Amino acid sequence: MAQFIKIYEDKPNEAAIAKVVKVLKEGGLIIYPTDTVYGLGCDITNTKALERIAKIKGVKLEKANFSFICCDLSNLSDYVKQVDTATFKLLKKALPGPYTFILPGNNKLPKEFKKKTTVGIRIPDNNIALEIVRQLGNPIVSTSIHDEDEVIEYTTDPELIFEKWQHLVNIVIDGGYGDNLASTIIDLSGDEPVVVREGKGSLDIL
């Protein structure tokens, strides 16, 4: 059964973050808060964990559209082809924030994603998520947790999330109530930005 850990966003407890990072390094799955909806994440370098997430989501790993959660733009060159100045300026303006940007992937992508030509990059404006990635030392692969209820698309209450997910993951972080609006997805892999999904992030940045 999963651990249920309370972490405060304004001052994330270092010992609690260290516990989460240890679980990630051991191949565990976590549910954690972002600046939008709660996410399901694992260490990008752990194949077994990636396979577990794909299985939960009912998708083939190599076809999965997971986001890479980074703590800043310094991770970009690890997974993304060189971006032009205009794109970089846009990323700098929008991040950290409630956006997922689709960018052209490079040949350093983890082997599970080698067939993909693009990658979704996300830097959420949430101290808990950013601190986990910072301490882990590399991005986490993430996907949002949908609710099966047709009316409620995303569960916002961490206790209800724990109730539902406790046997599927290793840690559920209670970072307070989540949002029920997902991130805005903008595809920057072509000549012009394309809005794939309008979510919480305003389109005024474009």
Side-chain angles (χ1 to χ4, degrees), residues 74-134:
S74 65
N75 284 121
L76 267 195
S77 56
D78 293 345
Y79 307 106
V80 172
K81 283 182 181 160
Q82 182 85 36
V83 296
D84 59 32
T85 313
T87 302
F88 191 74
K89 273 189 178 156
L90 176 60
L91 295 174
K92 240 179 138 48
K93 186 162 78 171
L95 300 170
Y99 299 92
T100 302
F101 288 106
I102 298 172
L103 295 156
N106 65 18
N107 54 11
K108 289 192 262 178
L109 282 174
K111 62 180 186 300
E112 294 78 18
F113 303 107
K114 280 284 186 235
K115 289 182 182 159
K116 296 190 84 64
T117 52
T118 58
V119 58
I121 296 286
R122 177 120 162 66
I123 304 175
D125 189 9
N126 178 291
N127 288 330
I128 299 168
L130 296 179
E131 209 42 54
I132 291 168
V133 176
R134 204 170 282 127

Side-chain angles (χ1 to χ4, degrees), residues 58 104 106 129 148 162 176 189 198:
N106 65 18
E148 269 124 44
F162 179 71
S189 63
E198 202 170 335

Side-chain angles (χ1 to χ4, degrees), residues 64-195:
N65 287 322
F66 296 146
S67 302
F68 291 8
I69 307 286
C70 304
C71 60
D72 55 40
L73 289 170
S74 65
N75 284 121
L76 267 195
S77 56
D78 293 345
Y79 307 106
V80 172
K81 283 182 181 160
Q82 182 85 36
V83 296
D84 59 32
T85 313
T87 302
F88 191 74
K89 273 189 178 156
L90 176 60
L91 295 174
K92 240 179 138 48
K93 186 162 78 171
L95 300 170
Y99 299 92
T100 302
F101 288 106
I102 298 172
L103 295 156
N106 65 18
N107 54 11
K108 289 192 262 178
L109 282 174
K111 62 180 186 300
E112 294 78 18
F113 303 107
K114 280 284 186 235
K115 289 182 182 159
K116 296 190 84 64
T117 52
T118 58
V119 58
I121 296 286
R122 177 120 162 66
I123 304 175
D125 189 9
N126 178 291
N127 288 330
I128 299 168
L130 296 179
E131 209 42 54
I132 291 168
V133 176
R134 204 170 282 127
Q135 283 204 30
L136 182 63
N138 52 258
I140 52 180
V141 161
S142 182
T143 178
S144 47
I145 55 167
H146 283 263
D147 206 292
E148 269 124 44
D149 188 315
E150 281 170 24
V151 183
I152 315 164
E153 204 176 346
Y154 300 103
T155 305
T156 59
D157 183 339
E159 290 190 7
L160 293 178
I161 292 170
F162 179 71
E163 224 167 87
K164 184 181 162 188
W165 287 83
Q166 58 186 325
H167 299 296
L168 289 170
V169 300
N170 303 85
I171 286 181
V172 175
I173 296 171
D174 173 0
Y177 275 85
D179 207 317
N180 58 0
L181 200 56
S183 64
T184 290
I185 302 176
I186 300 172
D187 189 343
L188 299 176
S189 63
D191 297 334
E192 292 289 322
V194 175
V195 179

